[in-house]
Amino acid sequence: LPPFLHRNRNNLDERIIDQICRNVITDMDQYGVCVVDTFLGAEKGMAVLNEVLNMYSAGLFKDGQLVSNKAGASDLKTIRGDQITWLDGKEKQCQNIGMLISQVDAIIMRANKMYNNGRIGNYTINGRTKAMVACYPGYGSHYVKHVDNPNRDGRCITAIYYLNKDWDIKKNGGLLRIFPEGWRDQVADIEPLFDRILFFWSDRRNPHEVQPAYKTRYAITLWYFDAEERNQACRRYQREREMHNQPKNS
Ligand SMILES: Cc1cc(NC(=O)CCC(=O)O)nc(C)c1Br
Ligand SMILES: [Fe+3]
């Protein structure tokens, strides 16, 4: 396994992993979006949620993007969007988050292998970001419609694990709405339910938004890299840095 991948420390039944992989491959192929429920099971899901709650109460979340409220410039009070923190899953007090990350890695790498010899959806996945733990603090915080990877930065699959027990979408809001390209006026409405994992292509095929949440809403996101696109993005970034840092008299 490439170095960035944790050994699959957890012995989630191989057959289950296989079955999930088949679902991921067929759904990503057909829709570019895939939802898997009861991903870890209630006990492990709760263990992950408790670690996130402990981190949140320890004040480890940084304030996320600032969104000025509807009143616009006049009223300087802004409601915070998501609050985030980044983890590699090896931190102490994060063993269960680390186990979740290993499980998602196992699914993605297996799907990578199962799909026509080592490529899922024409990608060869060889790395990922750290895990971004996000909290929408409720009282109307939301995330505006956007594309995760609009300019080929290398990220090909977004994986989001939701942690919200007893979530009532009517009362609590916080719906993730995806506007898949080519679906005409259809949308994919994903409730941020406990122990649910969502996969979707990170590029322009899947603009998405988080509608205002009225209860604290937690999610853990991983972005997986396509080897080729990532290399090109790094080379482009390196060239730009060299150009801008070009000494004056050259
Ligand atoms: C910081 C950041 C967060 C997100 N999050 C979502 O799209 C919300 C998904 C959900 O919680 O349902 N996306 C990007 C491109 C950035 Br950058
Ligand atoms: Fe996003």
Side-chain angles (χ1 to χ4, degrees):
L1 284 176
F4 76 90
L5 278 184
H6 306 286
R7 292 254 160 255
N8 176 4
R9 289 192 300 265
N10 186 286
N11 53 7
L12 196 82
D13 182 347
E14 285 305 300
R15 280 192 315 282
I16 297 181
I17 290 198
D18 248 24
Q19 189 45 52
I20 293 175
C21 282
R22 290 182 205 294
N23 297 347
V24 171
I25 291 172
T26 43
D27 288 359
M28 290 300 279
D29 231 14
Q30 225 159 351
Y31 312 110
V33 179
C34 173
V35 177
V36 178
D37 278 319
T38 61
F39 182 60
L40 295 180
E43 190 189 337
K44 292 196 175 94
M46 278 311 293
V48 173
L49 173 58
N50 287 328
E51 286 178 354
V52 170
L53 293 175
N54 292 340
M55 283 168 28
Y56 191 66
S57 51
L60 295 180
F61 281 62
K62 313 220 176 1
D63 283 334
Q65 32 123 18
L66 269 168
V67 280
S68 60
N69 61 350
K70 295 283 171 280
S74 60
D75 170 349
L76 291 179
K77 188 178 71 58
T78 54
I79 41 169
R80 286 255 177 242
D82 54 332
Q83 298 168 308
I84 59 176
T85 187
W86 291 90
L87 294 173
D88 67 17
K90 297 192 188 72
E91 296 85 355
K92 57 185 187 342
Q93 332 287 346
C94 289
Q95 289 92 329
N96 291 289
I97 295 174
M99 178 270 294
L100 163 71
I101 294 171
S102 301
Q103 286 311 321
V104 187
D105 281 351
I107 299 286
I108 293 291
M109 294 324 285
R110 202 181 186 88
N112 209 16
K113 254 204 302 292
M114 276 161 95
Y115 206 84
N116 52 30
N117 54 50
R119 298 171 63 78
I120 176 169
N122 273 340
Y123 294 115
T124 300
I125 294 173
N126 72 337
R128 61 163 162 75
T129 64
K130 287 187 169 188
M132 183 187 79
V133 186
C135 167
Y136 289 77
Y139 46 80
S141 54
H142 64 295
Y143 206 100
V144 294
K145 187 172 174 181
H146 67 279
V147 168
D148 283 2
N149 172 14
N151 306 315
R152 295 181 61 76
D153 63 24
R155 292 178 293 167
C156 61
I157 292 182
T158 302
I160 308 178
Y161 181 73
Y162 294 111
L163 292 156
N164 307 293
K165 291 286 278 179
D166 314 320
W167 191 266
D168 173 352
I169 203 73
K170 287 187 190 43
K171 268 184 11 197
N172 308 140
L175 183 79
L176 172 73
R177 173 161 287 179
I178 309 180
F179 305 79
E181 196 181 60
W183 281 28
R184 266 190 274 284
D185 53 358
Q186 292 286 307
V187 293
D189 281 350
I190 317 285
E191 300 186 15
L193 305 181
F194 174 73
D195 200 20
R196 164 174 283 184
I197 190 163
L198 163 71
F199 300 96
F200 58 87
W201 300 130
S202 309
D203 64 12
R204 292 166 186 263
R205 284 171 284 183
N206 288 315
H208 54 282
E209 67 185 11
V210 177
Q211 298 182 346
Y214 299 100
K215 185 176 147 191
T216 319
R217 178 189 186 278
Y218 296 99
I220 300 177
T221 303
L222 293 161
W223 283 281
Y224 287 85
F225 292 125
D226 167 62
E228 191 43 44
E229 185 178 314
R230 184 66 181 161
N231 291 340
Q232 283 166 7
C234 293
R235 276 201 293 274
R236 215 174 29 246
Y237 177 72
Q238 198 47 41
R239 261 200 316 277
E240 275 154 19
R241 273 170 58 89
E242 279 150 14
M243 266 169 342
H244 293 159
N245 297 349
Q246 196 68 30
K248 293 273 177 301
N249 52 10
S250 66

